[in-house]
Amino acid sequence: IKINKSTDYFNDKYTEYLYPENVYLPIYNYKLLVNKGDQVFVGEIILINKDGLCISSPVSGIIEDIDVKMFTNKSKIERCIKIKNDFKETKDSKYIKKEIKNKEDYIELLKEKNILGLGGGGFPAYMKIENSTLDYLIVNACECEPFLMCDYVLLNDKYREIIKCIENVKNVLELKKVYIAIKKDKKKLIDLMY
């Protein structure tokens, strides 16, 4: 997502990059299950680690390269898979949309899709809830840097979808309460959310 430099998050417009020409996936300590030149499909497992955690292809296309690339905060170079997007969105034949009915289903989905935390450590999300009794969910929508605005712009523009997702997680995990952390100087956004 690219956001204009304005700090007026209620009137700011952003551009969604939903269909990139190339997708880069960091390999980290995962084992490659594909080779340069292979065709891949949406949802196909292309990386696996020693604990059985998998990374699936987010697009269909061709593995164009396996190389190093500056990644995340531009201070780290990672070995990456480069997928040339064919824009067909062809799903892997094993890709099945599952209905999530309970905590166990949710944990299995997190494992299967290898959902990771965004704190920088790549910590698997399922590990935070698998053997825990959870009562509360805190959604961190506080930007960590003075001029970062993407959380605010997304919450402003997509709050209905975000609230629906939060409600689904709350119901599946049988949580007592959910808190959305927003800096108190973002009064318009706080008013919108409540």
Side-chain angles (χ1 to χ4, degrees):
I1 293 174
K2 181 179 179 183
I3 300 173
N4 299 335
K5 292 184 179 182
S6 156
T7 55
D8 183 3
Y9 56 90
F10 266 89
N11 296 312
D12 227 348
K13 298 296 175 206
Y14 60 90
T15 303
E16 293 181 320
Y17 292 99
L18 298 178
Y19 303 104
E21 185 176 333
N22 298 300
V23 173
Y24 297 88
L25 299 174
I27 296 171
Y28 299 124
N29 60 345
Y30 284 72
K31 176 184 171 189
L32 283 165
L33 301 177
V34 293
N35 296 300
K36 188 174 176 178
D38 286 356
Q39 170 75 46
V40 294
F41 303 101
V42 176
E44 180 179 348
I45 296 171
I46 58 176
L47 294 163
I48 190 165
N49 75 3
K50 62 180 176 51
D51 298 318
L53 293 173
C54 304
I55 295 180
S56 302
S57 178
V59 297
S60 59
I62 301 291
I63 303 295
E64 190 169 82
D65 206 356
I66 297 166
D67 204 355
V68 294
K69 179 167 177 59
M70 191 68 75
F71 207 73
T72 57
N73 62 5
K74 295 189 178 182
S75 67
K76 197 171 184 184
I77 295 176
E78 294 288 348
R79 212 166 141 239
C80 293
I81 294 176
K82 178 182 177 184
I83 304 171
K84 177 85 170 159
N85 191 348
D86 65 11
F87 300 98
K88 295 178 183 175
E89 295 296 309
T90 308
K91 290 188 171 73
D92 183 35
S93 60
K94 297 182 261 337
Y95 183 88
I96 301 167
K97 191 172 182 179
K98 297 178 181 175
E99 185 178 348
I100 307 302
K101 299 176 187 168
N102 54 42
K103 182 178 176 179
E104 290 73 26
D105 290 347
Y106 186 64
I107 290 168
E108 197 54 42
L109 178 71
L110 294 175
K111 284 181 182 178
E112 183 181 305
K113 299 302 178 190
N114 195 38
I115 305 300
L116 304 176
L118 295 175
F123 195 75
Y126 83 88
M127 294 176 83
K128 297 177 182 183
I129 61 173
E130 187 172 42
N131 296 311
S132 304
T133 302
L134 302 173
D135 292 323
Y136 307 100
L137 171 65
I138 300 172
V139 177
N140 183 359
C142 293
E143 304 291 3
C144 60
E145 299 291 335
F147 296 105
L148 289 181
M149 301 297 290
C150 61
D151 288 353
Y152 304 125
V153 173
L154 284 173
L155 278 169
N156 178 58
D157 195 53
K158 307 269 187 193
Y159 73 93
R160 285 185 180 90
E161 293 96 325
I162 292 168
I163 294 298
K164 184 167 177 43
C165 288
I166 290 168
E167 287 173 351
N168 288 342
V169 169
K170 180 180 184 255
N171 292 337
V172 165
L173 297 180
E174 299 177 357
L175 301 172
K176 291 179 183 174
K177 199 157 189 147
V178 174
Y179 297 94
I180 301 173
I182 301 171
K183 288 186 178 177
K184 58 184 168 182
D185 67 339
K186 306 297 185 241
K187 178 130 178 55
K188 286 182 184 177
L189 183 59
I190 293 168
D191 291 344
L192 176 70
M193 298 298 286
Y194 295 99

